[in-house]
Amino acid sequence: MIKVKNISKEFDGSPILKGISTFFEKGKTNLIIGQSGSGKTVFLKCLLGLFETNSGQIFFENSPINLMTTKERTVLRQEIGMVFQGSALFDSMTVEENIMFPMQMFTKKDDDEVRERANQAIKRVNLINANEKYPDEISGGMKKRVAIARSIVMNPKYLFCDEPNSGLDPKTAILIDNLIQEITEEYNITTVINTHDMNSVMEIGEKIVFLLNGKKAWEGSNKDIFNTDNEAVSNFVYSSDLFKKVRKMYLEKK
Amino acid sequence: MRVISNIGKYFLMLQNVFGKFTKWKVLRQLIFKDIESLIIGSLGIVSFISFFVGGVVSIQTALNLENPFLPKDLIGFATRQSIILEFAPTFISIIMAGKVGSYITSSIGTMKVTEQIDALEVMGINTYNYLIFPKIIALLLYPLVICISMFLGIFGGYIACVYGGFSTSGEFIQGIQLDFTPFHVTYAFIKTAFFSFILATIPSFHGYFMTGGALEVGKASTVSFVWTSVVIILLNYLITQLLLT
């Protein structure tokens, strides 16, 4: 579980995050949603420790990240898997080498064991015949799968995803969403996903935190979002006519 | 003010480069990769430039020796002095600032804009050590490149001079041996050692701390070339003043 207590972050005097408090549960897909510029990516990078917060605390299983020593942080980071928006695969390495990389860096396993574990991860994300290919030789959806495989290969306790289905067609986006949800349940990890994809919200949003201008404006689940009377979140989630109709039908049926 | 802040950032970066070390097994592979791309990949252009510039230096010297009382062995002497003292260590380093420096800045800069450096950070890797240290080690072989440049520069001068009919082979070789001071070679290699460190670290700094997108990677490469050249020229002056005067 990750707990966030009243964190704030500013850049050059302008506040980006304003006193956010929330928690992300283990074994659930937790979503951070909000408009572009609402502070989602900064929030995620604060959780990852890539940005230092100006105030407040972030707890990973009751250990505050800002009070951790460099060594403790290094250990924590080895328990974190991250899927970046652009996948962030290493260009100079093949798919298999990309997935083997974290194990080569942090384990004492021999090459055969590392390769075997990497291939298990490759199989888990349903990547076929891509081991020897370089990132620029595979599609966007495959890149995301490689990034997910790389992030789970060390059996992380926490999985962070920054817009995992941006730039993907709707079918592939749903496949990636489902894959992340399956992995979350299977590995019993705390997953935090940064997204503004409404399909993801409806499909896998077991816990949703809505940010507006750097503040937490609403939180709940994908079921709560149909009944919410919070105008800001309704305007954001049901901005398209299709979703407005879906909500209307759902409420009428109820 | 920004320049002072960047100088501070540069030295902090150096401190981090020698901070927590990457696993030796991984580091070794990176060092070999960098030797291949930075050193072996530069041999062709360095050899080509050195040979022909050596030839031009000897022709220019020969054409300026109009007085019949001046001995022809001065051509070999002037070629040797120009190549060993300045051309090979300093001007090849400026060329390398363009070739190797741009490569380092753009490769690290691209990793920065595509979040590959963030990915390494999230894994708990000391990215300064992982990205920059192998380049510093690979460029320890840079004096070897300069050695080849010195040899080919003088050889180019010999070919141009002898086959251009400016002097005999014997006169040129006599000129090469004339008043030879071994310390000049030591001086050239001391300079080269400093330049190799500059060639590895300044372009890395510009790549690592760049912000923006693809366009900014190009801009960072240009700025990196300018600053690497400026520092090499200033350092060249300082080392010459300290060692030769």
Side-chain angles (χ1 to χ4, degrees):
Chain A
M1 177 186 270
I2 302 169
K3 276 185 214 160
V4 179
K5 265 191 182 171
N6 202 25
I7 64 161
S8 299
K9 174 72 185 167
E10 53 180 57
F11 289 107
D12 301 325
S14 63
I16 304 297
L17 301 179
K18 301 162 194 166
I20 297 175
S21 296
T22 188
F23 61 93
F24 301 112
E25 286 178 81
K26 197 176 179 182
K28 281 191 177 177
T29 42
N30 302 278
L31 267 57
I32 304 166
I33 62 168
Q35 285 179 317
S36 300
S38 60
K40 297 190 302 288
T41 302
V42 174
F43 185 36
L44 199 72
K45 289 195 172 180
C46 287
L47 293 176
L48 285 163
L50 291 174
F51 289 153
E52 293 288 337
T53 54
N54 293 102
S55 63
Q57 282 189 321
I58 298 164
F59 296 87
F60 281 78
E61 315 292 346
N62 300 323
S63 305
I65 192 170
N66 55 339
L67 296 179
M68 284 181 185
T69 61
T70 313
K71 203 176 172 184
E72 285 170 333
R73 270 193 192 207
T74 307
V75 172
L76 173 68
R77 281 185 172 176
Q78 285 160 29
E79 293 174 342
I80 291 175
M82 172 79 194
V83 178
F84 284 88
Q85 191 174 354
S87 301
L89 302 179
F90 305 122
D91 301 326
S92 58
M93 297 180 193
T94 63
V95 163
E96 192 180 59
E97 286 166 350
N98 260 287
I99 298 165
M100 285 162 68
F101 181 77
M103 284 187 291
Q104 285 172 330
M105 287 297 290
F106 300 110
T107 66
K108 289 179 179 170
K109 288 178 181 169
D110 62 43
D111 282 352
D112 288 339
E113 282 178 283
V114 167
R115 185 160 279 115
E116 196 187 322
R117 174 72 190 109
N119 280 300
Q120 282 171 4
I122 289 171
K123 210 172 159 188
R124 180 64 195 86
V125 297
N126 306 318
L127 263 174
I128 302 156
N129 297 331
N131 288 30
E132 299 306 316
K133 288 186 175 161
Y134 284 88
D136 61 354
E137 295 171 341
I138 57 176
S139 68
M142 285 169 92
K143 280 183 191 168
K144 297 283 181 188
R145 286 173 194 272
V146 179
I148 293 169
R150 187 177 66 183
S151 65
I152 61 167
V153 78
M154 294 277 283
N155 292 324
K157 282 187 182 171
Y158 312 96
L159 178 64
F160 292 89
C161 307
D162 189 11
E163 307 204 6
N165 43 24
S166 70
L168 299 179
D169 62 87
K171 201 178 168 185
T172 313
I174 289 169
L175 285 174
I176 294 293
D177 279 344
N178 292 338
L179 180 64
I180 293 170
Q181 192 174 35
E182 283 165 25
I183 284 168
T184 303
E185 285 167 11
E186 196 178 311
Y187 289 71
N188 195 26
I189 52 181
T190 310
T191 298
V192 181
I193 304 170
N194 195 348
T195 188
H196 43 56
D197 183 274
M198 286 312 117
N199 281 326
S200 303
V201 173
M202 299 304 182
E203 289 282 328
I204 60 166
E206 291 176 279
K207 158 91 187 253
I208 301 162
V209 175
F210 174 65
L211 297 188
L212 183 68
N213 300 325
K215 284 183 183 168
K216 184 182 82 177
W218 182 85
E219 71 181 335
S221 71
N222 52 0
K223 291 182 183 75
D224 303 330
I225 219 158
F226 279 107
N227 307 310
T228 181
D229 51 6
N230 184 307
E231 204 177 328
V233 74
S234 295
N235 287 341
F236 176 71
V237 176
Y238 307 108
S239 52
S240 77
D241 287 342
L242 177 67
F243 278 118
K244 275 176 194 157
K245 281 175 191 165
V246 169
R247 188 190 189 205
K248 199 178 165 191
M249 279 165 64
Y250 174 84
L251 292 173
E252 279 171 3
K253 209 174 167 186
K254 209 177 158 191
Chain B
M1 197 65 190
R2 211 175 131 200
V3 174
I4 296 167
S5 153
N6 280 340
I7 291 170
K9 246 162 111 178
Y10 171 76
F11 284 104
L12 285 172
M13 179 194 85
L14 291 184
Q15 192 188 353
N16 288 323
V17 168
F18 297 98
K20 185 188 153 212
F21 267 74
T22 306
K23 203 174 175 182
W24 170 242
K25 197 179 161 188
V26 176
L27 208 55
R28 193 180 56 198
Q29 287 175 352
L30 293 171
I31 291 170
F32 283 128
K33 259 188 192 170
D34 280 336
I35 288 174
E36 193 191 341
S37 53
L38 305 179
I39 299 292
I40 298 171
S42 306
L43 286 179
I45 186 76
V46 168
S47 303
F48 177 79
I49 292 172
S50 301
F51 183 82
F52 284 99
V53 171
V56 170
V57 168
S58 93
I59 293 171
Q60 295 275 23
T61 312
L63 293 175
N64 282 290
L65 288 179
E66 285 173 348
N67 192 329
F69 291 105
L70 287 172
K72 294 282 185 195
D73 57 11
L74 275 183
I75 302 170
F77 174 78
T79 305
R80 183 200 76 202
Q81 289 296 82
S82 319
I83 299 287
I84 289 179
L85 288 174
E86 281 310 314
F87 173 73
T90 310
F91 288 97
I92 288 294
S93 295
I94 301 286
I95 291 162
M96 290 287 273
K99 191 198 176 285
V100 167
S102 303
Y103 169 77
I104 292 174
T105 306
S106 57
S107 60
I108 296 179
T110 305
M111 285 185 80
K112 179 89 177 179
V113 299
T114 55
E115 295 179 309
Q116 291 177 50
I117 293 182
D118 284 345
L120 290 167
E121 289 265 346
V122 169
M123 288 177 199
I125 294 166
N126 176 0
T127 49
Y128 297 99
N129 180 266
Y130 179 85
L131 295 169
I132 304 166
F133 184 75
K135 289 171 179 50
I136 295 173
I137 298 300
L139 280 165
L140 287 178
L141 292 177
Y142 181 56
L144 187 78
V145 176
I146 296 306
C147 196
I148 293 168
S149 165
M150 284 176 183
F151 174 78
L152 285 173
I154 294 171
F155 181 64
Y158 171 84
I159 298 285
C161 185
V162 174
Y163 292 95
F166 297 106
S167 80
T168 64
S169 171
E171 283 169 331
F172 191 88
I173 291 169
Q174 200 181 339
I176 292 173
Q177 294 169 342
L178 184 71
D179 200 16
F180 178 67
T181 313
F183 181 70
H184 285 172
V185 179
T186 312
Y187 153 79
F189 282 122
I190 291 171
K191 285 206 294 194
T192 306
F194 279 98
F195 296 162
S196 68
F197 189 76
I198 297 301
L199 280 172
T201 54
I202 293 184
S204 297
F205 172 82
H206 284 282
Y208 196 96
F209 290 102
M210 64 141 300
T211 48
L215 189 66
E216 280 73 19
V217 174
K219 280 182 190 165
S221 298
T222 313
V223 174
S224 144
F225 170 68
V226 171
W227 278 106
T228 310
S229 309
V230 167
V231 173
I232 285 174
I233 295 291
L234 288 175
L235 209 59
N236 183 40
Y237 173 77
L238 200 71
I239 293 170
T240 307
Q241 186 74 22
L242 286 170
L243 296 180
L244 290 188
T245 57

